[in-house]
Amino acid sequence: MLRSFGWQDIEALLRGALWTLALCAISGVLGTVLGGVIGLAATSPSRIARWIATSLVTFVRGIPLLIIVFFAYFGIPLLLPDLSLSAFATAVIALTVFASAYLAEIFRGSINAVPRGQWEAADALGLGYFKKFRYVVLPQAMRIVVPPAIGFLIALIKDSSLVTVIGFVELTHAGTITSNLTANPILTYSVVAAFYFVICYGVSRLGRWYEQRSATDKAAVDPEVKPSALQLEGV
């Protein structure tokens, strides 16, 4: 039975927006952790680790997100018949795998963008591989990572609408249900678009705030002052 668009529909769309936020937040965090590990492996001295990392990134980036969602939805039950996953858990797995590949490439590029002089200075101070990354390379790479990572996260929020194909009621799916109930697709999807805009704009502002804060912290340090062996003696 058709009805007019009302507050109950806005509430339904708001719930869908919250599910989209939860989905992308969890997938973004897990994808960042996994992507960071793969990115470090892609820049490690081990040829085997670099080959494995590069192969994983190339394979996942060569597959559309929709296919990854289908693989997770149909493939996991076939491989693990005793494991019962909800649509939300399946969507998280699919988006995490997708995000990890792209974020790994962002991490790899950011690590390689650190000036070689910084690597050589760390080697000259006798720092080991892990200490060199922890105290010299990663702090500088993280400033480079943030802008492209925020851009990818915004794209991930919009691409998350594809999980509607497995029945998960996120923002776009909630909009489809509401549109069918009200027969008012223009108004319904206008509200959906407004919710997406608010979410993406909030994420972009958060990224801009972090960039400005990092720039302020960096400016507070005299660039002419270089760490000496005595300063890093306790590392």
Side-chain angles (χ1 to χ4, degrees):
M1 182 177 179
L2 298 179
R3 53 178 170 76
S4 60
F5 190 91
W7 284 108
Q8 69 272 27
D9 299 306
I10 295 179
E11 292 176 356
L13 296 178
L14 179 59
R15 284 194 297 271
L18 293 177
W19 277 115
T20 293
L21 273 175
L23 173 63
C24 293
I26 297 174
S27 302
V29 171
L30 295 178
T32 299
V33 173
L34 184 57
V37 173
I38 298 174
L40 289 174
T43 58
S44 70
S46 172
R47 181 177 299 178
I48 296 177
R50 292 199 306 270
W51 181 84
I52 294 174
T54 302
S55 299
L56 285 174
V57 170
T58 302
F59 177 73
V60 175
R61 292 182 68 189
I63 302 175
L65 174 56
L66 185 60
I67 302 301
I68 296 176
V69 172
F70 282 138
F71 268 126
Y73 186 71
F74 294 108
I76 294 178
L78 291 176
L79 296 175
L80 302 171
D82 297 330
L83 182 62
S84 178
L85 295 177
S86 64
F88 178 76
T90 303
V92 167
I93 292 173
L95 291 183
T96 297
V97 171
F98 179 76
S100 64
Y102 283 86
L103 290 171
E105 190 66 10
I106 292 174
F107 275 108
R108 183 198 63 79
S110 300
I111 291 172
N112 289 335
V114 175
R116 301 308 302 178
Q118 298 293 316
W119 298 70
E120 295 169 358
D123 291 335
L125 290 171
L127 296 180
Y129 177 79
F130 292 103
K131 287 185 176 180
K132 176 172 63 179
F133 263 86
R134 168 65 179 84
Y135 296 103
V136 178
V137 177
L138 286 183
Q140 300 180 68
M142 288 306 297
R143 295 192 181 98
I144 306 173
V145 163
V146 173
I150 291 296
F152 172 78
L153 181 57
I154 292 174
L156 182 68
I157 292 171
K158 292 180 287 187
D159 289 342
S160 68
S161 61
L162 293 174
V163 302
T164 187
V165 297
I166 61 174
F168 179 63
V169 185
E170 39 68 63
L171 181 54
T172 299
H173 196 164
T176 301
I177 296 173
T178 302
S179 176
N180 292 336
L181 291 175
T182 62
N184 194 343
I186 300 299
L187 179 58
T188 299
Y189 287 112
S190 295
V191 176
V192 169
F195 275 125
Y196 273 116
F197 174 79
V198 170
I199 295 171
C200 294
Y201 181 76
V203 172
S204 66
R205 293 302 302 173
L206 182 62
R208 182 65 59 85
W209 171 81
Y210 181 85
E211 289 182 56
Q212 293 174 347
R213 180 177 178 180
S214 298
T216 301
D217 293 341
K218 184 178 180 180
V221 180
D222 186 355
E224 297 299 326
V225 178
K226 294 183 173 58
S228 64
L230 290 177
Q231 291 173 313
L232 294 175
E233 188 176 13
V235 174

